[in-house]
Each structure stands twice: as C-alpha cells, then as structure tokens.
C-alpha cells in the first residue's frame, strides 16, 4: 500500500500494488523474446525464461497495424469490383457560380479533353456501340411487327433478324453474334426507339378512342331512356324520334361567336337549337334557343336603328328565363312538337323537333337549381298567358289539339284559339329500343333512318304522310294499309326507252305533255348558234409530274399540320426544307413529315 500526500488540497490518495505490474506491462511480442534468447550472454538469456510454442498457430499473433488494415480493405474493394460490371460516370462542372443556365464554354471543353471523352466516343463508334442479348432485344422491340407481338414462335435470332428487316436497317449497321445483337451507330438505335414510342402512342390512342366511344354511347343511351321516361304513358311519340341520338348543340356555337356573346365567359351549353316561337297573334318567328346550367336564352334578329351599324341585322337577346321564374311546362298528348314554357310574367309557346331532348335536360337542370322536380302537364287543351303589348294587350290564348291525318301538324287560327290537327303517332307506352335491336318497317322489313343533313347540323328525320296502325311490337314501324304497289314507279335502267315503253304501271296514257314546246324565233336562233359554235380549244400541255418520294419507315403524324404514311407509300413531294421537315401531299392531305423517313423516286 502506497500513501501519497498532496500539499495543495491536503488530501490523501491510496494505491493498491497488487497486480499493478501485470496490468501495466508492455506487450512483448514472441519475435523479440526469440531474439533475446538467441543472445550470446547468459545474463540476457536468463532474463527471458519463457517457453515459446513452436507452433505459430497456437501463439499470440502480432496485432494488426494501420498499414495492414489499409492493405486488407483495398484488396476487399478490388475483389468486390471484379465481381461487378463497372459503369463509369464522368461529371462535368459547367460553371463556378452554381446557377442554372450558366454555361462556360472554355471550361466545359477543357473538362471534355481532360476526361478523354472524345477519344472514348471515337473508340466506341469505330466498333459497335450497342450490344444486347437476343432475348432482351426481342422483348423490347417485339411490338414493332404483328409477327413478333405478342409472342414470337421461332428462334430468338430469327426474331431479331425479322425486326431489323422490318425497319429496313442496313446490313452494315448491325452484326449478329452467338447470343447478342451488335448495333453500330446510335442513330439506328434511336430509330428503333422512336418507332417503339409511336407504336405505344398509336395503341394508347386506339384504346382511349374505344373507351371514350363506349362511355359516350352509354351516356347518350341513358339520356335517351331518361327522356323517354318523362313522356312515357303521357304523350305519343314520332316514329323517327324515339331512337335517334342526342347531339345537344344543333347550332354549332363553337363557330358562332355572335351567339356566344350573350352567355358568360365559360358558361357550358347543354342544348342549342333553332325553334319557332308564336306570338299573341300566333305568328311564327324563328328564335335560337340555348339551355345552360344557369338559364334559358331566346335570341332573335333585329335591325339596328341607331349608331354606326344602322340598318344592319344583329342578334339580340329577346328573353332570358331563370329557373326560379319557371312554373312548369305544358304539352299535348299528340305527336306534335309544341310545348309551352310557363313563366311568372308571360308564357312562351315554342315548337321544336327536339323537344324531348330539351325537356330531359331542362328537368335535370331545374332539379339541380330549385331542388324539386319540374311540373309537366299533358292535355289537349292548353291555355297560356301572352305578353301585354299596348292598349288592350295581354290576356290568354288557347291551343287545341285534335286528331287528324298525317304526321305534319296542320294549324287553323280562329280568334284567340289555335287548333292543331295531327295524325296518330306511336303509342304512349313506346320506349327506345336496345342498341342491338334494329327498327322494323312494317311486317318485319328493316327500316333505316334517312341520312340527310339538317340545316343546323342535326340529323333530319323524315316524316311520313300515311296513316298508322298499332305496331306489332313497341318502337317498331307499323304497316301502311292501302299503299299502291311499287310497280307504278319506273325502274332504273329504262331511261333510254321510249315513254310508252317506260310506263309499266296500271296508268298508261298520252304523255305528250312531257315534250318541250317550240321555242319560237329565240329557240331557233339558239339552236343555230349552238350548231355554229367553234371547236373547243386545244388542251394545254401537260405539266411535268411533281417530284415523288417513297416511305422507308412508317410515320404517324402527331399534330394537325403533319401527314401520316406507311412503309413503301409513294406520294408527292411539295417542298424540301433544310431543317429536315419536308412538305408532302398524300390522300388529298398536305402537311409536314421528316425527310429522313423517305427517299426520292
């Protein structure tokens, strides 16, 4: 036990000497002990009596030094790298300011030369820069041809050769190895990638088109059924209107800014059509009817009486009906096109061929805004209020509907009452047919809707004039009784025969009234001048044919000003541009296309 005293703090510190030497001795390695035991002096040998084990594995090894650790870590790193495929990334520092779009040309050139990038690129381009095993190459570019997509039936090497031949790649641009394909120039690989992207784009557009078509068809079928439910068991239907498609905008408002000016900036249009509006004297006036989620607009034409545009005819907003001011809609039980919009001030008597579509949209918007259903009244005796104009104006008018003949409504005015007569339509319980069920014409004969364009873009529905009977099934065309046989009409191909020979029907009489009468002196002079007419002028020389080009690869235009073509298509070359985008004409369309996709013929 050692005891130490300190003068500063007058404190006592105790130390225990047991095991002090064993804990504080320095490590003496076996090689040093062997060195001391090999000394010639007996005294030195006696100082190291330890018995060393001859087996080095059993003795205590020398501790690892810093240099040994560094050497071991370097060897482990090299072994790990040799097991991998190294990819070198060379970073270029474009500036010292650490700001985007700050490019120092001299600094970048120096780094490119210092890193040896140009030499590396030269070496790679001298050989084949791109290499890929057959399986992976075939999986990536199999979509380019129908034979390889979705599965290639032959060997992988033959599939790769088929892909390269389908894109017309030159033979000096690739080489076939035992298990890999080698492509020389990057441009050839870029061609494959671009064609692959265009294939994916084409297929995605096809899928989008089919899906949108399905959604639109389902939407309009639902709209047609909802519209039919509104009139179900309450009003007769026209035979050609029950299964027609809903268009919505029959005015083409996208190209009519003079009508869009009365709407809000981004107000959506649900329905737009040109209708007939009847005033208090039952005079018909054309109005443009527009239905939006906010209101109903009635737009007419008026002559400007003042200002610089005096005398010109301009569109004027005649009336704007808010949903809160609409009290209901009245219709008859016949197949006519009349309907009355009841409003707080005065009512509006309108006539529209597309009233069913308009009413279905109006009921939907009315319920969204007012939170209750729109009142619909069906009666053959309708009364409506008229606008109060001048002294003694106002009051009400009467509209009577009676059974008549034919599909066209016949109007007869009598004082303050307008009588409308129209024939019978389809039963009140008629509903639209399914998409797969075709319409029938009489006793099982199929009927196709006439493909005649309407003046405002809608499909014009022909209206027959024969009487109707009860249809065999709902929404089918009934038989027409008492119709004369079709043999009365002359057949095509008999126009070159004499009039007496062309008349094959039961009525055969004198047809001299069809002959053109004599034209007198003016007709004789005209015949003489025609006989002495000079011979036609010789045709102009045929212009040299325009230069043509043949497509080496398929190209699908991405913009409206581009054209599309397939491999080996030959078309006219209109203009060559140094930028690489040429102008051509194919299938009547003129547009831009890449010049490296074609060759001149």
């Amino acid at each position: 036990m050692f005891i130490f005293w300190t003068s500063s703090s007058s404190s006592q510190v105790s130390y225990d000497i047991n095991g002090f030497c064993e804990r504080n001795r320095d490590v003496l390695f076996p090689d040093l002990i062997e060195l001391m035991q090999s000394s010639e002096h007996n005294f030195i040998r006696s100082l190291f009596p330890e018995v060393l084990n001859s087996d080095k594995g059993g003795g205590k090894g020398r501790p690892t030094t810093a240099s040994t650790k560094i050497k071991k870590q370097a060897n482990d790193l090299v072994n790990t790298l040799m097991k991998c495929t190294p990819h070198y990334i060379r970073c270029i520092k474009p500036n010292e300011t650490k700001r985007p779009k700050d490019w120092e040309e001299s600094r970048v050139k120096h780094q490119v030369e210092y890193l040896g990038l140009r030499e590396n690129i030269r070496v790679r381009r001298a050989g084949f820069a791109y290499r890929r095993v057959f399986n992976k190459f075939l999986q990536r570019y199999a979509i380019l041809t129908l034979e390889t997509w979705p599965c290639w039936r032959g060997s992988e090497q033959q599939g790769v050769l088929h892909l390269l031949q389908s894109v017309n790649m030159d033979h000096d641009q690739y080489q076939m190895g035992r298990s890999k394909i080698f492509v020389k120039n990057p441009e050839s690989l870029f061609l494959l990638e671009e064609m692959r992207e265009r294939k994916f784009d084409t297929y995605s557009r096809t899928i989008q088109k089919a899906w949108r078509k399905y959604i639109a068809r389902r939407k309009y079928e639902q709209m047609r059924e909802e519209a039919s439910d509104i009139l179900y068991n309450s009003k007769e239907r026209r035979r050609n209107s029950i299964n027609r498609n809903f268009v919505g905008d029959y005015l083409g408002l996208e190209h009519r800014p003079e009508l869009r000016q009365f709407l809000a900036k981004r107000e959506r249009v649900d329905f737009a059509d040109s209708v007939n509006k009847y005033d208090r004297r039952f005079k018909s006036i054309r109005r443009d009817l527009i239905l939006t989620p906010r209101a109903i607009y009635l737009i007419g034409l008026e002559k400007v009486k003042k200002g610089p545009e005096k005398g010109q005819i301009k569109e004027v907003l005649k009336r704007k009906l808010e949903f809160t001011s609409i009290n209901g809609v009245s219709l008859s039980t016949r197949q006519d096109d009349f309907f009355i919009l009841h409003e707080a001030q005065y009512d509006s008597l309108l006539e529209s061929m597309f009233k069913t579509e308009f009413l279905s949209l109006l009921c939907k918007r009315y319920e969204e805004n007012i939170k209750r259903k729109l009142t619909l009244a069906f009666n053959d005796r309708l009364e409506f209020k008229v606008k109060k104009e001048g002294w003694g104006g106002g009051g009400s008018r009467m509209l009577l509907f009676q059974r008549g003949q034919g599909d066209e409504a016949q109007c007869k005015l009598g004082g303050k009452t307008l009588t409308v007569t129209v024939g019978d339509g389809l039963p009140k319980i008629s509903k639209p047919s399914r998409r797969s069920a075709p319409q029938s014409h009489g006793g099982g004969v199929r009927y196709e809707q006439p493909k005649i364009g309407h003046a405002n873009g809608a499909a014009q529905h022909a209206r027959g004039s024969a009487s109707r009977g009860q249809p065999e099934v709902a929404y089918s065309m009934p038989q027409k009784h008492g119709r004369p046989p079709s043999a009365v009409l002359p057949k095509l191909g008999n126009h070159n025969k004499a009039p007496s020979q062309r008349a094959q029907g039961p009525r055969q009489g004198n047809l001299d009234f069809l002959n053109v009468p004599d034209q007198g002196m003016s007709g004789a002079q005209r015949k003489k001048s025609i006989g002495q007419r000079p011979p036609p002028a010789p045709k102009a020389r045929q212009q040299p044919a325009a230069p043509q080009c043949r497509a080496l690869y398929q190209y699908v235009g991405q913009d409206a000003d581009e054209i599309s073509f397939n491999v080996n298509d030959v078309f006219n070359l209109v203009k060559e541009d140094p930028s690489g985008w040429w102008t051509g004409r194919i299938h009547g369309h003129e547009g831009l296309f890449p010049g490296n996709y074609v060759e001149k013929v």
Side-chain angles (χ1 to χ4, degrees), residues 341-546:
L341 290 177
H342 297 283
E343 202 253 350
Q345 298 179 358
Y346 61 94
D347 304 333
S348 297
L349 175 59
L350 305 175
E351 183 184 15
S352 174
M353 184 185 299
F354 311 110
K355 62 183 180 305
T356 307
E357 181 180 356
F358 169 74
L359 289 178
S360 64
L361 296 173
L362 176 60
C363 292
K364 185 180 298 184
R365 293 304 181 189
Y366 186 87
E367 188 174 357
E368 291 176 358
N369 288 270
I370 310 301
K371 306 303 180 184
R372 61 183 176 87
K373 293 186 177 181
L374 179 64
T375 303
L376 297 179
F378 298 90
N379 199 330
D380 289 343
R381 185 183 181 91
L382 303 178
E383 185 178 0
F384 63 96
K385 297 181 298 182
V386 296
K387 185 177 180 182
K388 193 172 184 179
E389 296 179 352
W391 182 83
S396 62
R397 298 293 185 269
M398 187 67 65
L399 200 62
L400 297 179
F401 294 89
Q402 297 178 356
R403 182 178 182 180
Q405 298 293 330
D407 295 339
E408 293 291 341
Q410 304 294 331
C411 301
K412 182 179 180 181
L413 179 60
K416 295 184 178 181
T417 303
L418 181 65
T419 304
V420 180
T421 58
V422 64
D424 295 334
L426 294 180
K428 299 179 182 179
I429 59 175
S430 301
K431 294 183 68 67
S433 62
R434 297 179 181 178
R435 184 176 55 189
S436 59
Q439 293 179 341
S440 62
H441 185 66
V445 182
R446 292 190 178 182
Y447 170 77
E448 297 182 358
Q449 294 184 359
K451 300 180 180 179
I452 304 177
H454 195 266
N456 50 16
Q460 183 179 4
H461 304 285
R463 301 178 178 179
S465 59
S467 61
R468 296 176 177 82
Q470 291 294 335
E472 296 180 358
V473 293
Y475 39 84
S476 64
M477 296 297 296
Q479 294 183 354
K480 296 184 179 180
H481 302 286
R483 181 174 178 176
S486 58
V488 203
L489 302 177
K491 296 183 179 181
L492 297 177
N494 296 334
H495 299 287
N496 296 329
K497 298 181 180 181
S500 59
Q501 297 177 356
R502 290 200 305 262
Q504 300 293 337
R507 296 183 181 179
Q508 294 184 2
N510 188 7
L511 300 179
D512 293 339
F513 63 92
L514 296 177
N515 298 330
V516 180
D518 296 335
Q519 297 91 349
M521 293 299 297
S522 60
Q525 183 65 25
R526 183 163 55 252
K527 291 181 179 179
K528 182 179 179 181
S529 59
I530 293 176
Q532 298 177 356
R533 186 172 297 172
K539 296 183 179 179
R541 292 186 178 180
Q542 187 176 4
Q543 297 293 334

Side-chain angles (χ1 to χ4, degrees), residues 220-247:
Y220 283 104
E221 285 180 356
Q222 183 180 1
M223 289 176 57
R224 189 174 60 187
E225 292 178 359
E226 292 176 355
S228 178
D229 293 339
I230 295 176
L231 306 180
Y232 182 75
N233 206 19
S234 299
K235 186 177 178 63
E236 297 179 357
R237 303 296 303 275
R238 292 193 181 276
R239 65 182 64 186
N240 290 329
S241 65
I242 193 168
N243 284 322
R244 72 172 188 85
N245 295 326
F246 287 175
V247 178

Side-chain angles (χ1 to χ4, degrees), residues 273-338:
D273 184 28
S274 182
V275 301
N276 293 328
K277 180 187 176 301
Y278 292 85
D279 59 5
R280 58 193 180 94
R281 297 183 180 89
F282 295 106
K283 291 184 178 180
S284 175
I285 306 173
R286 298 298 292 179
R287 291 285 186 265
D288 292 328
L289 174 66
I290 300 178
L291 172 64
T292 68
R294 299 181 181 180
I296 301 176
Y297 299 85
L298 287 173
I299 303 173
L301 297 175
E302 278 189 2
K303 183 180 292 186
V304 181
K305 299 180 180 180
K306 297 181 181 180
E309 298 180 350
K310 182 178 180 181
Q312 298 183 8
I313 299 177
K314 294 289 184 179
E315 285 74 12
V316 179
L317 180 61
K318 290 295 185 179
R319 197 175 188 190
K320 180 179 179 181
L321 299 177
E322 303 288 347
F323 293 117
T324 54
S325 63
I326 298 177
N327 299 327
V329 180
S330 297
L331 303 94
S332 71
T333 61
R334 299 288 177 178
Q335 62 161 338
D336 58 278
D337 295 330
F338 291 92

Side-chain angles (χ1 to χ4, degrees), residues 542-562:
Q542 187 176 4
Q543 297 293 334
Q548 292 184 332
C549 52
R550 178 183 291 106
L552 299 177
Y553 315 104
Q554 182 188 17
Y555 182 76
V556 180
Q558 301 295 318
D559 296 329
D561 58 346
E562 297 182 10

